[in-house]
Amino acid sequence: RVAIAKAYMKEQCRGIIEKQGRALNLFWRMEMVVWQERFVQLKPSGLVYQHVKSNAEAFGREKVIEYASMETIKALLGDMLYLKCAKREYYFQLPNAQECEKWATNIVQLAQCAGYSVPGYVVMPPEAMPAPDFGEKEQEA
């Protein structure tokens, strides 16, 4: 069962998404953030990404973010996946909040299956949080 569950999680987290490139310092006053399409998938060692050709085909050397280097995994404000690693931080843009939460959950679970304790969090945007209902409590009392 575990092997089937792992294969299912890996299959769910596979495709072309945007990865934030390193920020560039322009004239020492501004930073420019570059988003690049990457083919991303989960493998037994960690998250792997590659460049994408114009025909949406992956090419080039695979770059691995190993589970062992991951310190924190977060689904931020809906559609942003954040990976804090020992040497670097990564940001990936997912199509929607559900996909982002699924990726974050699957990465945490696969890291744990590989023997690493990586905390994971889902940070919801304020508009997605249910408003507290104080009226019911007052009426019950």
Side-chain angles (χ1 to χ4, degrees):
R1 282 194 208 177
V2 173
I4 293 170
K6 285 180 179 180
Y8 181 69
M9 286 187 277
K10 290 175 190 172
E11 188 59 35
Q12 284 185 317
C13 298
R14 176 187 182 96
I16 296 174
I17 59 175
E18 290 188 343
K19 177 187 150 301
Q20 181 179 324
R22 295 198 184 237
L24 304 173
N25 188 356
L26 302 174
F27 307 110
W28 301 280
R29 292 178 189 219
M30 297 185 310
E31 286 189 7
M32 184 172 90
V33 176
V34 179
W35 288 93
Q36 307 153 333
E37 283 191 333
R38 296 290 183 254
F39 178 76
V40 181
Q41 59 185 325
L42 298 179
K43 291 194 172 181
S45 58
L47 184 142
V48 177
Y49 63 94
Q50 289 178 271
H51 288 271
V52 179
K53 291 182 182 179
S54 60
N55 64 356
E57 183 181 320
F59 78 97
R61 183 173 65 90
E62 290 184 341
K63 296 182 182 177
V64 181
I65 304 171
E66 295 186 9
Y67 295 128
S69 72
M70 294 180 188
E71 296 175 352
T72 304
I73 300 165
K74 291 183 183 181
L76 297 175
L77 302 177
D79 60 358
M80 186 75 60
L81 177 66
Y82 167 75
L83 302 176
K84 182 178 186 322
C85 298
K87 295 183 180 180
R88 182 175 168 192
E89 296 176 344
Y90 296 87
Y91 292 91
F92 294 92
Q93 184 83 39
L94 278 294
N96 56 52
Q98 293 79 17
E99 284 292 307
C100 189
E101 187 175 341
K102 178 172 43 177
W103 278 66
T105 302
N106 288 348
I107 294 169
V108 167
Q109 290 178 353
L110 288 169
Q112 290 173 349
C113 286
Y116 303 102
S117 178
V118 182
Y121 306 94
V122 175
V123 181
M124 298 301 290
E127 63 272 8
M129 301 290 282
D133 187 8
F134 298 111
E136 280 186 37
K137 298 237 184 226
E138 291 174 9
Q139 290 173 357
E140 290 175 8

